């Protein structure tokens, strides 16, 4: 009976989805919206009665839809493309995520929600929906365009950072702070998993696919491909990562096979089937009554998602040197949230740290943003043209100058100019940022422990506000050092971008933009780290003013302290271990009183040229020792071994008594024609 009920539910899902999506297709509307509307129609919240009884089975099929959609994304996006768009995707993705976490937390505070609700809301708004984007771009035939490559790259960055966000949220929810050890362990495990999965996959999977395609039937090919897809997705799930990440990795690996078009062809029908079920299942979660009850927050947060993501993704992509139209299309495509927001909201509910309204609110915002996304993508060219016409000419000229300079800078970097210095500045800044992160993590961990001993009134920020102030104060030298290196980096990049006119308009544009971008990223990083501690209201403004005044007034001392710490570290690393005190050093001068050093040069006709020191037996025959050799090439050999060869033109340094050195010279220069000179 259970199987009959499941078949009945599946039949209802597919029939209603087919009818509604067919109507949307005839009306030239996105089919994804038809699937969502079908889910609302058959869902449990639509009167007079639900048409689907076993919702859990439908959600299981929807999970398969996530796997297939991410697998399809991997097939569309090669590892070579990831390398090519990596800098743009990393910059835009980091800028977007940090900005949206801050925006979400801020709007939660505006609505008067608890700090934990605000934190989870910020995380919910940070990650875009891969499934909605993939389906929308594929439906409009845009998946292979240049801006789509950038979108897919940002999605990969988001998926990787999403795992880190989940770990951080779990730590904050359970302990009220962050566990540094858990964060470091998670990042290490994630990096190891990605490295092993990609390398092993590239070595094995393309060869398996080639063998199956050349020798197997269509059924065998489909079975093997799905087995690999589900196997890697299951492996990722067993390692506490998302099945979506595993499906994407195996898709990207199969993309490197020569038969990727065959893989796409035979998996497309299955992928379309389960992706339809996924979007219908999302629609089934939408409760129109609950959305109406929280209409104001849902609409406000939806507007924040759409406008915030368009702005932050566009700015991040522009900063990487892309043109305005491409950057706008990237921002518009990413202007929604989706399945990962449900996971974050569900985590808060399961841990009992968030309010009950947060999960349906996430579904409502996701539904509205997903409904708007296809229309935004379809009109992205028109919106880009409108903005290009209406934007101030000064701003457009500034962006064009900046874009040309960044392209020139990339060419200079690819040629290797100043790369070592830039890498040093970035590495040093990254180390300083890592120390800042460690300080804030330690502060978040210590805050609940020291709170009982810090009777600070709430109007003054409370104990957590005082701990936050201490963390920022302790980090001031590191902040100033980063700003100093950022200024040097901006100047260096400006000189590379405008070598003919390092003080002209192009150089100024690059220098100001690079420094301002670094400043904003540093501020966003600080805000994200400060969420567990951050005091609100006027006290935050007061703290910021106090910290800024302290930093400005004492900047020279703080930088001097930082530089001194660096010098001490360098001295420690460069220092040689001291010899234990013994009686050799006090008597060294007495022991060497009779020693003689003599320098001589081997002549081409001499008996030593071309022979090994062992063969000449200088020490055993004369008692003198060859302690150093200077080659004609300029290379020095200190304390040469017996197997070292001697060549014409070598300068030798002999050590021994006067008689020993005389005998050694006679052995090495038998005919006495080579020049020699006593050195001591």
């Amino acid at each position: 009976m259970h199987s009959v009920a499941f078949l009945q539910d599946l039949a209802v899902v597919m029939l209603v989805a087919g009818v509604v999506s067919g109507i949307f297709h005839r009306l030239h509307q996105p089919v994804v919206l038809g699937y969502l509307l079908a889910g609302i129609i058959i869902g449990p919240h639509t009167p007079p009665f639900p048409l689907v009884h076993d919702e859990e089975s439908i959600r299981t099929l929807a999970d398969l839809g996530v796997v297939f959609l991410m697998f399809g994304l991997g097939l569309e996006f090669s590892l070579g493309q990831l390398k090519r768009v990596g800098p743009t995707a990393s910059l835009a993705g980091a800028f977007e995520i940090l900005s949206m976490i801050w925006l979400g937390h801020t709007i939660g505070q505006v609505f008067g929600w608890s700090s934990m609700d605000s934190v989870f809301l910020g995380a919910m708004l940070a990650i875009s929906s891969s499934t909605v984007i993939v389906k929308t771009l594929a439906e409009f035939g845009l998946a292979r365009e240049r801006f789509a490559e950038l979108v897919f790259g940002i999605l990969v960055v988001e998926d990787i950072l999403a795992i880190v966000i989940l770990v951080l949220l779990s730590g904050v929810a359970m302990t009220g702070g962050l566990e540094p050890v858990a964060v470091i362990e998670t990042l290490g495990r994630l990096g190891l998993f990605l490295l092993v999965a990609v390398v092993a996959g590239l070595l094995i999977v393309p060869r398996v696919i080639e063998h199956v395609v050349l020798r197997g039937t269509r059924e065998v090919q489909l079975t093997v491909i799905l087995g690999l897809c589900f196997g890697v997705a299951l492996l990722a799930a067993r390692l506490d990562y998302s099945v979506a990440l595993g499906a994407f990795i195996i898709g990207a690996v199969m993309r490197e096979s020569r038969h990727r078009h065959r893989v796409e062809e035979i998996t497309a029908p299955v992928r379309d089937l389960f992706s339809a079920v996924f979007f219908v299942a999302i629609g089934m979660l939408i409760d129109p009554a609950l959305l109406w009850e929280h209409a104001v927050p849902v609409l406000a947060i939806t507007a924040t998602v759409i406008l915030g993501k368009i702005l932050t993704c566009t700015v991040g992509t522009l900063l990487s040197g892309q043109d305005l139209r491409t950057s706008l299309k990237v921002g518009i495509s990413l202007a929604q949230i989706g399945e990962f927001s449900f996971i974050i909201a569900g985590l808060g509910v399961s841990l009992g740290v968030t309010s009950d309204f947060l999960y349906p609110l996430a579904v409502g915002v996701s539904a509205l943003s997903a409904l708007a996304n296809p229309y935004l993508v379809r009109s992205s060219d028109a919106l880009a043209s409108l903005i290009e016409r209406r934007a101030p000419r000064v701003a457009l000229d500034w962006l064009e100058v900046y874009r040309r300079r960044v392209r020139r800078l990339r060419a200079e970097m690819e040629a290797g100019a100043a790369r070592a210095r830039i890498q040093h500045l970035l590495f040093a800044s990254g180390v300083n940022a890592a120390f800042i992160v460690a300080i804030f993590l330690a502060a978040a961990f210590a805050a609940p422990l020291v709170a009982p001993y810090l009777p600070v009134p709430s109007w003054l920020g409370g104990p957590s506000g005082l701990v936050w102030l201490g963390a920022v104060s302790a980090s001031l030298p590191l902040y100033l050092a980063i700003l100093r290196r950022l200024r040097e980096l901006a100047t260096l990049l400006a000189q590379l971008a405008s070598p003919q006119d390092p003080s002209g308009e192009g150089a100024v544009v690059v220098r100001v933009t690079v420094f301002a971008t670094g400043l904003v990223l540093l501020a966003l990083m600080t805000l994200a780290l400060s969420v567990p501690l951050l005091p609100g209201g006027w006290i935050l403004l007061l703290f910021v003013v106090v910290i800024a005044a302290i930093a400005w007034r004492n900047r020279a001392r703080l930088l001097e302290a930082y530089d001194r710490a660096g010098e001490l570290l360098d001295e420690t690393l460069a220092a040689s271990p001291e010899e234990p005190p013994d009686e050799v050093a006090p008597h060294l001068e007495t022991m060497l009183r009779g020693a003689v050093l003599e320098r001589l040069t081997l002549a081409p006709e001499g008996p030593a040229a071309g022979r090994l020191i062992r063969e000449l037996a200088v020490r055993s025959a004369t008692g003198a020792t060859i302690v150093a050799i200077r080659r004609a090439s300029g290379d020095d050999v200190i304390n040469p071994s017996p197997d070292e060869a001697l060549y014409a033109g070598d300068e030798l340094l002999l050590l021994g008594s006067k008689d020993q050195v005389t005998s050694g010279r006679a052995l090495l220069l038998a005919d006495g024609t080579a020049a020699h000179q006593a050195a001591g």
Side-chain angles (χ1 to χ4, degrees), residues 298-359:
V298 168
L299 292 175
I301 296 172
T302 301
T304 301
V305 167
I306 294 175
L307 297 177
K309 281 185 172 287
I310 290 177
L311 178 62
T312 57
C313 292
T314 299
V315 171
T317 309
L318 279 172
L319 292 174
S320 68
Q322 303 299 321
D323 61 89
L324 179 59
R325 180 174 291 270
T326 299
S327 302
L328 282 169
K329 294 174 77 170
V330 169
I332 290 170
S333 300
L334 291 164
Q336 31 65 38
I337 60 174
E339 62 280 353
F340 200 85
S341 302
F342 308 151
I343 297 174
I344 293 175
L347 175 66
V349 172
S350 64
L351 295 176
V353 295
T354 58
S355 304
D356 293 337
F357 65 81
L358 203 61
Y359 189 87

Side-chain angles (χ1 to χ4, degrees), residues 30-232:
V31 176
V32 173
L33 302 184
Y35 293 148
L36 291 173
L37 180 58
I40 295 175
I41 293 173
I42 66 178
H45 308 293
T46 303
F49 53 83
L51 298 178
V52 172
H53 301 87
D54 190 0
E55 296 180 31
E56 191 62 34
S57 297
I58 301 301
R59 292 197 180 96
T60 301
L61 294 179
D63 292 338
L64 295 180
V66 173
V67 172
F68 280 113
L69 282 168
M70 292 304 296
F71 176 71
L73 172 60
L75 288 176
E76 292 285 348
F77 193 79
S78 73
L79 297 174
Q81 291 171 327
L82 180 59
K83 180 179 179 181
R84 184 168 64 252
V85 304
T88 298
S90 300
L91 177 59
F95 189 85
E96 173 214 0
I97 287 175
L98 292 174
S99 300
M100 294 307 299
I101 289 176
W102 174 73
L103 279 174
H105 182 270
T106 300
I107 197 171
Q109 294 292 293
V110 169
F111 282 117
W113 297 349
S114 68
S115 177
M116 197 62 68
D117 283 340
S118 301
V119 169
F120 272 78
L121 177 64
M124 285 163 44
L125 305 189
I127 310 299
S128 300
S129 172
S130 301
T131 51
V132 172
I133 294 172
V134 173
K135 187 69 176 177
T136 301
L137 294 181
E139 188 173 315
F140 292 152
L142 303 174
R144 298 186 183 275
E145 291 198 8
R146 168 62 179 167
F147 85 93
E149 289 186 3
L150 299 175
V151 169
F152 294 156
I154 294 173
L155 289 175
V156 174
V157 173
E158 286 186 350
D159 287 339
I160 294 174
L161 293 179
I163 299 169
V164 180
I165 290 175
L166 275 180
V167 175
L168 297 180
L169 288 177
S170 299
V172 171
M174 291 185 293
T175 66
L178 297 175
E179 293 286 350
V181 176
V183 175
I184 295 173
E185 179 184 357
T186 299
L187 292 177
R189 289 173 62 240
L190 174 60
L192 182 62
F193 170 70
L194 292 175
L195 178 64
V196 173
V198 171
V199 173
L202 290 175
L203 291 175
I204 299 172
V205 173
R207 292 164 179 80
V208 173
I209 295 299
E210 182 171 5
H211 177 80
V212 171
V213 168
L214 293 178
R215 294 174 174 81
T217 63
R218 185 182 181 90
E219 291 80 7
V220 172
Q221 295 168 14
L222 180 61
T223 303
V224 171
I225 292 170
L226 295 185
L228 290 172
C229 176
F230 289 130
V232 177

Side-chain angles (χ1 to χ4, degrees), residues 6 26 61 115 124 143 151 153 179 197 226 239 259 282 377 388 396 470 546 568 610 620 629-630 640 677:
F6 171 71
R26 290 291 300 271
L61 294 179
S115 177
M124 285 163 44
V151 169
E179 293 286 350
L226 295 185
L239 295 175
H259 303 283
I282 295 298
V377 172
E388 288 176 342
L396 294 178
V546 171
L568 292 175
S620 60
I629 305 172
R630 169 162 290 182
Q677 177 182 353

Side-chain angles (χ1 to χ4, degrees), residues 219-270:
E219 291 80 7
V220 172
Q221 295 168 14
L222 180 61
T223 303
V224 171
I225 292 170
L226 295 185
L228 290 172
C229 176
F230 289 130
V232 177
L234 177 62
L235 176 62
R238 293 295 188 188
L239 295 175
D240 296 328
Y241 303 126
S242 67
V243 294
L245 180 62
F248 172 82
I249 290 174
I250 189 62
V253 169
M254 288 188 185
R255 173 71 163 72
E256 304 305 315
S257 169
R258 293 186 300 171
H259 303 283
R260 63 177 181 272
H261 298 297
R262 180 63 172 171
V263 174
E264 293 176 352
E265 176 191 350
I266 64 177
T267 58
V270 183

Side-chain angles (χ1 to χ4, degrees), residues 570-580:
D570 292 339
E571 291 174 5
T572 302
L573 295 175
S576 301
E578 295 184 358
E579 294 291 340

